[in-house]
């Protein structure tokens, strides 16, 4: 029995659909679900509906009157075989919380498009091309609070206060052309901020000379641009169960970008993933050629830091685009349980006897204060490389890069 635990929901996204993959060598008799809520509703066991290929589904049947911010929902999944002496497998308990909002998202509108192809190339302008407002609507309907800013207006500090920033370039032939946008993206990533970059010409613009080499392997988890035929995607080898591919929606296979029969060069790029990157969705040209590329800044399995879509996401069908957008934002905003690694250290203030109350922070994600002897502990980390900053009034901030492994304090 395999089930990807449902993500937290809001009132606007209720009800979610529970999906489970179940098989048995003796054959399945039935798959059932049992549900309880902290608001006083319970039901089950209820039969889940077989949809073929060992898949079972059920729309969560809790009435909306029992769903409001602060409510927790717990559920169990039971699978029974056809043996005379019947056996069953239990999945769970699983749980989700009902939130007021799933998180704050800033969309950077970089989708301006002159509709003029570079010399020597043709461009068939897609009909009814979508806008940043359409992206915002999709994310609001998925339970996120969304603000939008034009790429030309981005300045240092524009991203702070948001859980995820999405830089949306669509089919723009000159994406990421504003220096302030690029430097702000770099600073955001260095501070541990969550980022989505989307656009069918982004990889070409960044990787091909003169390009923006400072974004390679940092803002974009790629090592190069590899062509234009990246419009048909499938889960990469070993990625079928990755949360980006199936939480809360199981993405269509194949997942297709409409590239005008190959004539729309602004629709999708083919990219080479960086060595440390994860290719969640690949093209037909190999597992390291994407696709949908992820940078995970630690070993935690449930979330990541950067998702790069080297395509115009709004050229997929509306259903497919909305599913991927919601999956991406849920993936990036999921709070992982505490890890087993940690960073211990000491900060000393020159000329001072008391070294207390210096702020030591792990980017924007975690902070602590030093004791009188200058010691500090940052616990509950996953294995990974962290940028640690110490700062206090009257002294220049000091930064160190520290690599930790699971199960150890560094």
């Amino acid at each position: 029995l395999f089930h990807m635990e449902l993500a937290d929901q809001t009132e606007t996204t209720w009800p979610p659909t529970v999906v489970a993959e179940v098989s048995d060598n003796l054959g399945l008799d039935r798959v059932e679900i049992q549900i309880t809520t902290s608001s006083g509703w319970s039901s089950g066991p209820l039969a889940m509906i077989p949809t073929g290929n060992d898949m079972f589904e059920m729309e969560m049947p809790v009435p909306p009157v029992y769903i409001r911010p602060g409510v927790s929902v717990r559920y169990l999944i039971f699978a029974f075989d056809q043996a005379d002496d019947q056996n069953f497998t239990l999945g769970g308990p699983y749980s989700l919380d009902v939130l007021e909002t799933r998180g704050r998202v800033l969309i950077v509108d970089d989708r301006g498009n002159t509709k003029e192809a570079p010399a020597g190339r043709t461009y068939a302008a897609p009909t009814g091309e979508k806008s940043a407002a359409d992206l915002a609507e999709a994310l609001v309907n998925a339970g996120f609070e969304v603000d939008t800013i034009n790429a030309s207006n981005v300045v240092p500090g524009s991203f702070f206060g948001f859980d995820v920033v999405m830089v949306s370039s669509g089919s723009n032939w000159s994406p990421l052309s504003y220096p302030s946008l690029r430097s702000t993206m770099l600073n955001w990533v260095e501070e541990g901020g969550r980022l989505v970059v989307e656009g069918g010409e982004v990889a070409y613009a960044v990787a091909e000379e003169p390009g923006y080499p400072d974004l390679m392997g940092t803002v974009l988890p790629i090592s190069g641009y590899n062509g234009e035929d990246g419009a048909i995607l499938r889960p990469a080898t070993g990625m079928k169960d990755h949360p980006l591919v199936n939480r809360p929606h199981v993405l269509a296979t194949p997942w297709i970008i409409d590239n005008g029969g190959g004539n729309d060069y602004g629709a999708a790029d083919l990219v080479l993933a960086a060595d440390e990157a994860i290719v969640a969705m690949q093209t037909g040209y190999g597992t390291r050629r994407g696709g949908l590329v992820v940078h995970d800044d630690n070993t935690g399995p449930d979330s990541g830091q950067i998702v790069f879509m080297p395509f115009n996401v709004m050229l997929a069908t509306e259903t497919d685009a909305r599913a991927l957008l919601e999956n991406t934002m849920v993936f990036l905003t999921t709070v992982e349980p505490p890890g087993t690694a940690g960073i211990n250290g000491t900060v000393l203030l020159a000329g001072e006897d008391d070294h207390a109350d210096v702020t030591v922070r792990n980017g924007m994600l975690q902070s602590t204060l030093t004791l009188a002897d200058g010691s500090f502990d940052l616990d509950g980390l996953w294995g990974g490389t962290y940028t640690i900053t110490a700062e206090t009034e009257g002294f220049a901030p000091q930064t160190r890069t520290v690599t930790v492994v699971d199960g150890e304090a560094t």
Side-chain angles (χ1 to χ4, degrees):
L1 187 160
F2 173 78
H3 166 65
M4 179 66 72
E5 187 172 29
L6 290 173
D8 293 337
Q9 304 290 316
T10 66
E11 291 176 281
T12 60
T13 62
W14 196 266
T17 297
V18 182
V19 179
E21 182 177 5
V22 188
S23 60
D24 188 271
N25 60 344
L26 297 177
L28 281 169
D29 180 54
R30 65 192 186 278
V31 178
E32 297 177 338
I33 186 170
Q34 186 169 338
I35 308 157
T36 61
T37 76
S38 62
S39 55
W41 188 90
S42 63
S43 186
L46 303 171
M48 296 183 67
I49 300 168
T51 58
N53 298 318
D54 298 329
M55 303 301 295
F56 293 78
E57 293 185 1
M58 170 169 278
E59 188 176 86
M60 190 67 81
V62 185
V65 67
Y66 290 93
I67 297 301
R68 57 184 179 273
V71 168
S72 296
V73 180
R74 292 170 58 87
Y75 60 102
L76 300 167
I77 299 175
F78 301 86
F80 297 86
D81 68 14
Q82 294 180 355
D84 293 336
D85 186 9
Q86 196 168 61
N87 304 295
F88 75 90
T89 296
L90 171 65
Y94 306 106
S95 65
L96 65 89
D97 294 324
V98 181
L99 308 176
E100 190 162 335
T101 176
R102 279 174 154 176
R104 295 193 68 210
V105 177
L106 177 66
I107 295 177
V108 178
D109 184 1
D110 189 42
R111 296 176 73 89
N113 193 346
T114 65
K115 305 299 183 188
E116 296 178 2
R121 302 170 72 180
T122 59
Y123 174 61
T127 58
E129 185 165 349
K130 302 291 186 177
S131 68
D134 295 297
L135 281 172
E137 180 187 5
L139 293 177
V140 168
N141 289 339
F144 293 90
E145 181 182 343
V146 181
D147 288 354
T148 303
I149 185 173
N150 192 278
S152 62
N153 295 329
V154 171
V155 295
S158 292
F159 295 175
F160 290 99
F162 292 92
D163 299 303
V164 181
V165 172
M166 179 174 188
V167 178
S168 174
S169 298
S171 295
N172 185 357
W173 284 107
S174 301
L176 313 185
S177 59
Y178 298 103
S180 182
L181 170 61
R182 297 194 301 273
S183 62
T184 302
M185 293 168 70
L186 275 167
N187 291 338
W188 177 250
V189 168
E190 288 172 358
E191 291 287 339
R194 274 33 187 165
L195 180 69
V196 184
V197 182
E198 173 265 351
E201 284 293 286
V202 171
Y204 180 86
V206 169
E208 295 297 292
E209 293 185 2
Y212 308 121
D214 55 337
L215 303 186
M216 294 277 287
T218 53
V219 166
L220 301 185
I222 64 172
S223 60
Y225 160 81
N226 201 233
E228 293 293 330
D229 195 8
I232 300 177
L233 306 179
R234 292 176 172 81
T237 302
M239 290 292 108
K240 176 185 175 185
D241 298 333
H242 192 279
L244 191 59
V245 174
N246 64 14
R247 186 185 189 202
H249 305 285
V250 178
L251 297 184
T253 303
W255 196 92
I256 299 174
I257 292 288
D258 180 6
N259 66 352
N263 293 318
D264 181 0
Y265 287 99
D269 280 343
L270 186 64
V271 300
L272 297 173
D275 290 341
E276 72 282 0
I278 297 168
V279 178
M281 298 281 280
Q282 70 182 56
T283 66
Y285 298 99
T287 57
R288 302 302 297 170
R289 300 171 78 181
L292 183 64
V293 188
V294 179
H295 170 68
D296 194 342
D297 54 353
N298 62 47
T299 58
D302 298 321
S303 186
Q305 185 188 10
I306 302 170
V307 175
F308 178 36
M309 305 176 184
F311 47 78
N312 182 346
V313 67
M314 302 306 278
L315 292 180
T317 67
E318 182 174 345
T319 298
D320 288 353
R322 287 175 178 260
L324 177 56
L325 288 167
E326 184 173 353
N327 281 18
T328 299
M329 295 304 170
V330 168
F331 173 64
L332 293 178
T333 56
T334 293
V335 178
E336 292 177 315
T340 58
I343 298 174
N344 304 328
T346 303
V347 179
L348 300 178
L349 301 175
E352 301 290 338
D353 295 324
D354 184 359
H355 309 286
D357 297 328
V358 177
T359 298
V360 181
R361 57 185 177 86
N362 163 27
M364 300 176 294
L365 305 178
Q366 183 183 16
S367 67
T368 188
L369 296 175
T370 57
L371 301 179
D373 62 356
S375 63
F376 70 89
D377 296 315
L378 287 171
D379 297 322
L381 303 176
W382 290 87
T385 299
Y386 297 88
T387 299
I388 305 301
T389 301
E391 52 194 1
T392 193
E393 187 176 354
F395 292 83
Q398 297 293 311
T399 299
R400 297 289 185 272
T401 300
V402 183
T403 298
V404 300
V405 297
D406 292 319
E408 297 183 11
T410 300

